[in-house]
Amino acid sequence: MPKTLPAVPIVVSPPAVVDVSVCIAHWNCRELLRRCLESLYDQPQGVSFEVVVVDNASADGAADMVAAEFHRVTLVRNRENRGFSKANNQAAALARGRYLFFLNNDTVVPPDTLRKFLEFAEANPSVGMVGPRLRGGDGTAQISYRRRPTLGALLHRVSLLRWTGLFRRAYYDYRRDTFDPEGVRPVEVLMGAAVFLPRAVFEDSGRWDEQYRFGGEDIDLSTQVGRRRELVYVGDVEVVHYGRVSSRKNIGFSAPNVAIGYVHYFRKAGATPTALAVYKLFVTADAPVQCLAKCAQAATRLLRGRTDKARKSWLAARGLWHFMTRELVRFWRA
């Protein structure tokens, strides 16, 4: 009888290149991340893809959850919180995809979303970056693109100036007046919760600017890509975005870094030292005023039984307090 040879397992190596690499920077939102990954893997996406998760030293066991439940994910465990931009650049450096899809951990991706993005990008090779319609967990459309901010637009948010109405028009041009959830159109800034672009465009644009830790980096990337190529909003592709859940959960980190990120953006955009100093002065003077106002608002809402609203006001006050007591020096040095 012929000698029987032992069975040899067949190892199939993953392809050297995939269509799309989904890059997720994560910090302390384990259940949201689980839901996001389930939406990618448990539904057809119509393309070959991989997921790279960079965990910024989460304390909630998120990295262990990914390792145990999502074996196909490429997982990076940072020993410290390196910020959103650095983590995304780490993910991109490991990615094998022809296209990169930078995705917030507080999102859910419907079926065939990656296929729709890929088809649009390949049909429009001159486009630099694409963004979807963002829809909240309650079903309402979120602002998914906007214009680039100006110092005047952000000064309207300073309560010491808002009552004058001096910068109201600039603020609404920036935040509200230009958004229409329907259709396909070129835009100035795509929200960083979900952006899709060719790897070559990402590299040519200088990648994410790592001086941003959290806040403003999507404006910067949109600006850099937009210097050479068009940014396009595609309203018939949707991503569910539980907006601000992550930032509210980590308010002591997010609130100061958003303020610092805007200063860094304005400096890169060409604001004069005098203009930046005036902006910083107003923001600094306004912080205790807004902190007291948010505390009073939280107390009033609590007395009226609006517990959830009171919690949001209290979180805003905590973020302002952290900014004033721990991050003011870094804000002025930015």
Side-chain angles (χ1 to χ4, degrees), residues 120-131:
F120 183 89
E122 294 194 330
N124 299 274
S126 64
V127 170
M129 190 159 70
V130 184

Side-chain angles (χ1 to χ4, degrees), residues 157-172:
R157 297 176 7 174
V158 174
S159 60
L160 297 173
L161 292 173
R162 189 180 306 149
W163 66 275
T164 68
L166 187 61
F167 300 108
R168 184 181 294 117
R169 183 70 260 166
Y171 178 76
Y172 280 94

Side-chain angles (χ1 to χ4, degrees), residues 149-152 154-155 158 161 211-212 258-285 323 328-334:
T150 63
L151 280 171
L154 292 199
L155 282 171
V158 174
L161 292 173
Q211 292 193 58
Y212 296 92
V258 168
I260 292 166
Y262 277 121
V263 172
H264 181 54
Y265 169 76
F266 288 131
R267 187 180 300 282
K268 286 186 69 174
T272 66
T274 300
L276 280 177
V278 171
Y279 174 73
K280 291 177 182 179
L281 183 63
F282 272 109
V283 171
T284 301
F323 170 69
L328 209 51
V329 172
R330 192 159 66 92
F331 174 72
W332 275 90
R333 287 177 176 173

Side-chain angles (χ1 to χ4, degrees), residues 10-16 96:
I10 299 174
V11 179
V12 179
S13 299
R96 297 172 295 133

Side-chain angles (χ1 to χ4, degrees), residues 87-101:
N88 270 327
N89 283 341
Q90 284 180 273
L94 294 172
R96 297 172 295 133
R98 297 184 295 118
Y99 291 85
L100 304 176
F101 183 36

